[in-house]
């Protein structure tokens, strides 16, 4: 991480870009040379600098290029030029780049006493040549080290910002927005307690396991009684006397296991095709038929009841009860209030609907005890009866932030630093079935909007009130102080005293 922090630009003025020669007094004879060096320097600065660890794509025959430039300068007139700080380049100091081979000898180590320069300050100027004009070359832009470090740091901050938001969004919720509790029970030792309430256990199963249990209850009883019928016919000798008109069989036309299984299905489902029947020649056949009829009736009552309850569970009714996506905090009747909106999508109303709210927040007591996920009640008007709703149109539920509220000391700035969850529970009786229904949702601290209100979504139309659910989630910003309710009250008292 320290490598991406911005660093001050390196001061290369102390040692220069290349080894410099001591400057002597300017003479007219050297004016042309200085101007030529100045043009070469300007051309080198305008062109792209190549790092010293890359092989240049152009020719490195520096002496020949220098001779060409010298002859061209001699042929031109000497024009006085403005003196700029010149940089003399020694062609002998420039490395000769060529493709290395494995047959080359090992490089000779450099003298320790020789002068070393920072890697980012050494570069080779691009000298114009006919070869370069014919063949395009790839250039690498040399960026200052400070700008490069700043760019890396900005990229790192941009990469870290989504990760921070993702971790914020992926924070574990106690209750999801659709009302599912995110609590898994484990290490349950006494699992036999679930068998004592077999009806609820079967109803709580998922549909794939519920259908599996539903089919297996019938298949197992059919196979079990079919096996008993087959063994009874085999022990009595009915299978050995098939086709004998003088033999008195217990169950007629049962000559193998498939025919016995078919007779079991016909008996339990009271189909009665008439080809296979129990006769009065044996008492055990009559007893088995009575036992199968009783067990089949019990299975029918249990499975049909579970199927009916599974389909008509009031949990599905809760999907048509909706909550606003966000909570808002603003003033209502000169009081700071926490508000959210609820609505019912069905025309059949909820009977005796009640609303409750719980605050889930971990805290540490004065004795040092840590209480994870402590539940505290939010007053939604249970002392005045406002928590009992006539849920015909969307309603805005209000929690007044007073001295008994857990948000009494919370301001707009401290709200961003808090970590809590508000659980909303709506209970009522389904008008169609008479069953109690419960709908749940939750709001985290980042889903609370400070200084907003809900827009109206109902108006009068043709003698009736019309509700537009497309405006159910819409909010608008209002002027609300960012101070907490406690600070607002203290300021109001100070103004009252000053008056």
């Amino acid at each position: 991480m320290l490598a991406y922090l911005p660093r001050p630009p390196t001061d290369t003025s102390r040692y220069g870009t290349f080894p410099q020669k001591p400057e002597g007094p300017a003479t007219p004879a050297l004016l042309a040379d200085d101007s030529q060096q100045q043009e070469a320097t300007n051309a080198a600065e305008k062109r792209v600098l190549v790092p010293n660890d890359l092989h240049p794509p152009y020719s490195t025959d520096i002496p020949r290029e220098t001779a060409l430039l010298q002859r061209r300068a001699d042929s031109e007139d000497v024009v006085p030029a403005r003196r700029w700080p010149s940089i003399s380049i020694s062609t002998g100091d420039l490395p000769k780049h060529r493709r290395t081979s494995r047959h080359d000898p090992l490089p000779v180590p450099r003298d320790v006493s020789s002068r070393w320069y920072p890697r980012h300050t050494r570069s080779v100027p691009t000298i114009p040549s006919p070869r370069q004009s014919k063949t395009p070359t790839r250039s690498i832009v040399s960026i200052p080290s400070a700008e490069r470090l700043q760019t890396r740091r900005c990229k790192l901050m941009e990469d870290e910002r989504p990760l921070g938001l993702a971790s914020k969004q992926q924070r574990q919720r106690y209750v999801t927005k659709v009302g599912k509790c995110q609590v898994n029970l484990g290490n349950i030792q006494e699992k036999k307690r679930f068998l004592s309430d077999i009806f609820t256990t079967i109803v709580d199963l998922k549909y794939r396991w519920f259908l599996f249990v539903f089919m297996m209850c019938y298949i197992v009883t059919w196979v079990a009684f079919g096996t008993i019928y087959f063994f009874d016919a085999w022990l009595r000798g009915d299978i050995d006397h098939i086709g004998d008109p003088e033999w008195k069989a217990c169950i007629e036309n049962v000559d193998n296991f498939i025919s016995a299984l078919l007779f079991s299905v016909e008996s339990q489902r009271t189909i009665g095709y008439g080809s296979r029947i129990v006769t009065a020649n044996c008492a055990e056949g009559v007893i088995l038929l009575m036992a199968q009829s009783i067990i089949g009736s019990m299975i029918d009552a249990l499975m049909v009841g579970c199927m009916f309850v599974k389909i008509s569970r009031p949990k599905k009714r809760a999907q048509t009860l909706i909550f606003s996506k966000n909570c808002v905090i603003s003033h209502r009747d000169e009081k700071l209030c926490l508000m959210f909106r609820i609505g019912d999508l069905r025309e059949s109303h909820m009977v005796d609907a009640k609303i409750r709210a719980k605050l889930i927040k971990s805290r540490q007591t004065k004795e040092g005890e840590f209480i994870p996920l402590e539940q505290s009640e939010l007053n939604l008007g249970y002392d005045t009866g406002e928590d009992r709703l006539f849920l015909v149109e969307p309603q805005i539920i209000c929690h007044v932030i007073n001295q008994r509220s857990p948000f009494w000391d919370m301001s707009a700035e401290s709200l961003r630093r808090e970590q809590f969850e508000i659980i909303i529970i709506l209970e009522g009786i389904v008008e169609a079935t008479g069953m109690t229904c419960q709908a749940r949702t939750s709001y985290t601290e980042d889903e609370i909007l400070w200084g907003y209100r809900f827009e109206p979504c109902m108006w009068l139309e043709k003698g009736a009130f019309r509700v537009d659910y497309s405006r159910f989630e819409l909010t608008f910003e209002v002027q609300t102080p960012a101070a907490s309710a406690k600070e607002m009250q203290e300021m109001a008292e100070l103004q009252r005293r000053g008056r």
Side-chain angles (χ1 to χ4, degrees), residues 382-400:
Y382 59 83
D383 51 350
T384 59
E386 296 179 359
D387 60 331
R388 296 179 178 269
L389 308 176
F390 182 54
L391 196 58
V392 179
E393 80 285 349
Q395 297 187 9
I396 298 177
I397 310 301
C398 177
H399 165 67
V400 180

Side-chain angles (χ1 to χ4, degrees), residues 367-496:
E367 293 79 13
E369 179 187 3
F370 179 74
I371 304 177
L373 303 177
E374 184 185 25
Q375 300 183 10
S376 57
E377 189 76 17
L378 293 181
N379 187 3
L380 298 181
Y382 59 83
D383 51 350
T384 59
E386 296 179 359
D387 60 331
R388 296 179 178 269
L389 308 176
F390 182 54
L391 196 58
V392 179
E393 80 285 349
Q395 297 187 9
I396 298 177
I397 310 301
C398 177
H399 165 67
V400 180
I401 302 178
N402 50 22
Q403 296 180 357
R404 294 178 295 178
S405 173
F407 304 114
W408 174 247
D409 299 332
M410 190 175 299
S411 61
E413 183 179 357
S414 61
L415 177 63
R416 305 187 188 97
R417 301 191 301 265
E418 292 290 337
Q419 188 172 358
F420 59 88
E421 187 172 350
I422 301 174
I423 300 176
I424 308 300
I425 304 172
L426 176 63
E427 295 179 348
I429 300 175
V430 182
E431 188 179 20
T433 60
M435 296 183 179
T436 303
C437 174
Q438 185 181 93
R440 298 181 296 266
T441 191
S442 67
Y443 299 100
T444 55
E445 68 280 353
D446 54 346
E447 296 174 349
I448 299 178
L449 305 179
W450 189 285
Y452 284 81
R453 288 180 187 170
F454 288 103
E455 290 190 2
C457 62
M458 186 176 63
W459 62 85
L460 184 63
E461 182 185 53
K462 294 182 181 180
F465 293 96
R466 178 178 178 82
V467 178
D468 185 7
Y469 275 99
S470 63
R471 306 175 62 85
F472 185 81
E473 301 285 351
L474 298 181
T475 58
F476 63 96
E477 190 174 0
V478 294
Q479 187 176 2
T480 305
S484 62
K486 181 180 179 180
E487 294 174 351
M488 293 181 188
Q489 185 178 2
E490 293 177 354
M491 292 173 61
E493 292 180 358
L494 291 176
Q495 293 179 359
R496 195 178 304 112

